[in-house]
Structure formats: C-alpha cells, structure tokens
C-alpha cells in the first residue's frame, strides 16, 4: 500500500522539474526541493479502496478534497500528515509528507566547533559507540524520523536515546584485535515540524576512541598515581595509553594555557609535582597509536592544609 502511494507521488512530481520524491520509511515521504515555491502533489489512499467513499484530513483537520486520488498544494516548508478515512472516520491510510530543502543551510541541528553536526565517540574497542547532536533551541517541534548505521553492507544495531539527542550503537561483528579496514556510515533524518534534514557521519572506531577519565588512586605529598579507566580495553600491553599531565595554579581549570603551567606527556602512571604553591593536578588519557582524541581531565586540588579530588 505504501509503495503504491510513493510511485504515484513520484510520477506526479517529475512534471515539476525541480523536485523529487523520496521514500524515507513506510508512510513517510520527503519532497526534495531546490526552492520554496508551491508544488502540487498527487495523493492516493490505496488501490484496495477504489470503490469506497473517502474523505481526507490534513494535520487532523478536514480538507475539501474527497476520493481515492486527490491533489494537494505544498507551500514552502508546509508539509503535512495526510490521512484518508471512511465516512465514519475509520482510518484507511496515511502519508507523512515532509519538505527537504536540499540546497539550503542546515537549520535544525547546531554545528559544533569542528564543523560537524553529529559527534561520535567510543570509550574503548569493544565495538560500542555513541553519537550525539544538539538541537537548535528554537526548534521545539523536533523529532528523529529515521536513522541507520552500516558497515560493509551490514546494519549495526542502534538505539535512540530517550532525550532524542543521541544514539547508542554496538557493532557485534567488530573484532577489537583485528585491523579495522571499513568505515561505519551513519545516516540520520531529523525534522522540525515538516522540515526535513539529512545528516551523515563516516568514521572508524579507532578514530573516535576517547578514553574515560583516569582514576587517581594515590596522593602522597606531591606524588600522584593513577590507573587506566575501568572501561578501557585490556590487556594494556595490546591497548596502551599515554597520559597528559598538567599542573596549574589552584584558581585555574585544567584547560588553562597561560603562564606558570607544568605540563608533560608520559606513558607512566605516576608523577611528582614540582610546584611549591597550592595547585591543581590534572591528568587525562589518549590512545598513543592513533593520537586522535584526548579523554576528559581528572583533577585533584592540592592545598596547604587540606585537599579535595574529583575523578
């Protein structure tokens, strides 16, 4: 039934020249446009309902067109949810018609500092990763329409987070001890009202690995010791970590880059601070084989008479 609707819509839109129709998933169709003019779209309730008396609604409100085959006008980004009913209002079929302005700037998600709309990270090499995005604060009628992650033509199992701002995925075919040769391709369709956007990310697990915070386990005088994150892949001989150690004055954060900063990179898990005054000790981890992403800082505030730590 849904396939019939799509074919008829596509045939009608080919006449417009600057538009095309794309089936996103069953009952959801994207009208892809290069401008925001008005377009006539042909809707078909269903071949099996050809002899019935049929009424239509757009976004829950009755429209004047009746019959199995109707023409509706789509103005700009004003798509709609079109439903066809029997006279007693029994639902027969529906088509969610979204407008996808393909040559317009993205406007539903916020672009990050690295010019990406979707950010993906993995805590280790077990095949699980998480992708997240930020909605534009003015887009309050937003939704994720469809998403898929594929590697080597095989689908990857992904689950949408409850806040619809992220995906948690697990590649069950991924082997952490083998060389990763094929990328993961993530495709996501999101919408605000009836405006549709399409977003893509392509990556390898090794390029998005971001170790969790390290655990500072011992502080004696000015000597610090720590362990790799509990979530990191083992054995450490096969999955090594390097560490960035940073010591800043106590009133500065670990991201401080000004003067009087003690900074080192090491493969060891202990460090002796040379600072004489109160300071904040910071440490974070990175995969030294890829050198892609640093983990978040763990830190410990060392004062004259007392100390506090946050791991």
């Amino acid at each position: 039934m849904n396939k019939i609707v799509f074919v008829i819509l596509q045939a009608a839109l080919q006449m417009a020249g600057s538009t095309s129709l794309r089936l996103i998933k069953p009952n959801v169709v994207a009208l892809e446009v290069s401008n925001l003019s008005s377009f006539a779209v042909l809707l078909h309730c269903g071949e099996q309902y050809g002899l019935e008396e049929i009424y239509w609604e757009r976004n829950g409100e009755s429209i004047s067109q009746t019959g199995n085959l109707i023409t509706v006008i789509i103005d700009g980004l004003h798509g709609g949810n079109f439903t066809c009913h029997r006279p007693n209002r029994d639902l027969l079929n529906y088509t969610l018609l979204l407008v996808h302005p393909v040559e317009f700037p993205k406007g539903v998600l916020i672009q990050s500092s690295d010019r990406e709309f979707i950010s993906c990270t993995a805590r280790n090499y077990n095949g699980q990763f998480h992708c997240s995005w930020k909605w534009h604060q003015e887009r309050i009628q937003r939704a994720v329409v469809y998403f898929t992650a594929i590697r080597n033509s095989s689908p990857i199992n992904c689950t949408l987070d409850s806040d619809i701002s992220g995906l948690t995925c697990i590649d069950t075919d991924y082997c952490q001890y083998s060389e990763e040769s094929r990328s993961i391709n993530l495709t996501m369709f999101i919408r605000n009202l009836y405006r549709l956007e399409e977003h893509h990310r392509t990556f390898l697990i090794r390029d998005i690995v971001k170790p969790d915070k390290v655990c500072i386990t011992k502080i004696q005088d000015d000597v610090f010791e720590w362990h790799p994150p509990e979530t990191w892949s083992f054995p450490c001989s096969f999955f090594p970590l390097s560490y960035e150690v940073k010591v800043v004055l106590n009133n500065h954060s670990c991201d401080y880059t000004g003067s009087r900063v003690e900074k080192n990179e090491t493969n060891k898990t202990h460090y002796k601070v040379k600072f004489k005054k109160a300071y904040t000790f910071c440490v974070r981890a990175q995969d030294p084989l890829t050198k892609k992403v640093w983990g978040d800082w763990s830190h410990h505030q060392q004062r004259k008479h007392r100390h506090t730590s946050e791991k």
Side-chain angles (χ1 to χ4, degrees):
M1 178 171 62
N2 300 319
K3 184 176 180 181
I4 294 172
V5 173
F6 173 66
V7 170
I8 291 179
L9 285 172
Q10 188 177 46
L13 285 166
Q14 284 176 346
M15 299 172 59
S18 60
T19 64
S20 63
L21 240 246
R22 183 177 179 183
L23 181 66
I24 305 301
K25 65 179 184 178
N27 295 94
V28 180
V29 180
L31 173 62
E32 298 188 325
V33 300
S34 57
N35 60 73
L36 298 182
S37 303
S38 296
F39 298 98
V41 179
L42 196 62
L43 293 178
H44 188 218
C45 185
E47 191 174 73
Q48 62 270 48
Y49 308 123
L51 300 178
E52 298 199 38
E53 186 178 359
I54 296 175
Y55 295 87
W56 289 80
E57 292 182 2
R58 179 175 184 169
N59 305 330
E61 297 184 359
S62 297
I63 57 178
S64 59
Q65 294 95 324
T66 60
N68 198 4
L69 197 63
I70 67 170
T71 299
V72 296
I73 302 300
I74 303 300
D75 294 315
L77 296 174
H78 301 292
N81 186 31
F82 295 89
T83 56
C84 52
H85 306 259
R86 291 190 174 99
N88 64 359
R89 301 202 76 252
D90 284 348
L91 177 65
L92 297 175
N93 199 358
Y94 78 94
T95 298
L96 177 60
L97 183 57
L98 305 174
V99 181
H100 181 198
V102 293
E103 297 180 7
F104 285 62
K106 307 290 187 182
V108 180
L109 299 184
I110 298 176
Q111 195 173 32
S112 63
S113 57
D114 59 359
R115 303 187 64 80
E116 296 287 355
F117 290 95
I118 301 176
S119 299
C120 298
T121 58
R123 304 165 77 182
N124 50 44
Y125 286 96
N126 70 357
Q128 181 170 313
F129 59 93
H130 184 262
C131 296
S132 61
W133 52 89
K134 291 184 178 181
W135 298 93
H136 194 288
Q137 60 183 1
E138 296 180 1
R139 309 299 186 242
I140 59 176
Q141 299 191 49
R142 55 206 184 199
V144 176
V145 178
Y146 178 76
F147 56 84
T148 182
I150 296 175
R151 191 207 292 265
N152 195 24
S153 302
S154 298
I156 295 173
N157 183 35
C158 294
T159 303
L160 184 65
D161 296 351
S162 59
D163 63 356
I164 67 168
S165 295
L167 290 172
T168 301
C169 305
I170 178 71
D171 184 357
T172 56
D173 294 329
Y174 176 72
C175 178
Q176 59 184 342
Y177 302 105
S178 300
E179 182 70 21
E180 189 178 14
S181 59
R182 293 185 179 272
S183 299
I184 294 171
N185 296 293
L186 174 67
T187 299
M188 186 174 69
F189 292 91
I190 53 96
R191 71 180 177 105
N192 182 69
L193 286 173
Y194 300 106
R195 173 177 178 166
L196 183 74
E197 281 188 1
E198 182 177 3
H199 293 273
H200 298 273
R201 279 301 307 267
T202 300
F203 54 88
L204 298 166
I205 293 288
R206 66 169 180 258
D207 292 333
I208 63 169
V209 164
K210 178 183 178 180
D212 280 342
K213 288 184 176 183
V214 305
C215 181
I216 299 175
T217 57
K218 184 178 179 181
I219 304 109
Q220 184 174 359
D221 297 327
D222 292 317
V223 177
F224 293 81
E225 294 183 10
W226 59 89
H227 289 321
E230 293 182 357
T231 56
W232 186 243
S233 299
F234 286 91
C236 289
S237 58
F238 196 87
F239 301 101
L241 283 173
S242 61
Y243 303 95
E244 182 179 18
V245 172
K246 196 173 184 182
V247 184
V248 299
L249 292 175
N250 232 351
N251 58 337
H252 295 304
S253 72
C254 292
D255 293 320
Y256 178 69
T257 57
S259 60
R260 302 188 66 183
V261 173
E262 187 177 320
K263 182 179 177 181
N264 284 283
E265 287 191 27
T266 179
N267 294 323
K268 299 178 180 179
T269 56
H270 57 85
Y271 187 84
K272 180 175 177 59
V273 177
K274 302 174 184 178
F275 257 48
K276 302 302 181 182
K277 296 183 178 181
Y279 59 83
T280 296
F281 174 81
C282 308
V283 59
R284 61 181 179 176
Q286 182 190 59
D287 184 342
L289 303 180
T290 63
K291 295 184 178 295
K292 293 291 184 178
V293 186
W294 281 104
D296 294 326
W297 293 106
S298 296
H299 70 273
H300 172 90
Q301 291 182 332
Q302 184 80 340
R303 298 191 175 96
K304 190 172 183 179
H305 298 295
R306 60 188 180 91
H307 60 261
T308 62
S309 65
E310 180 180 320
K311 301 176 182 179

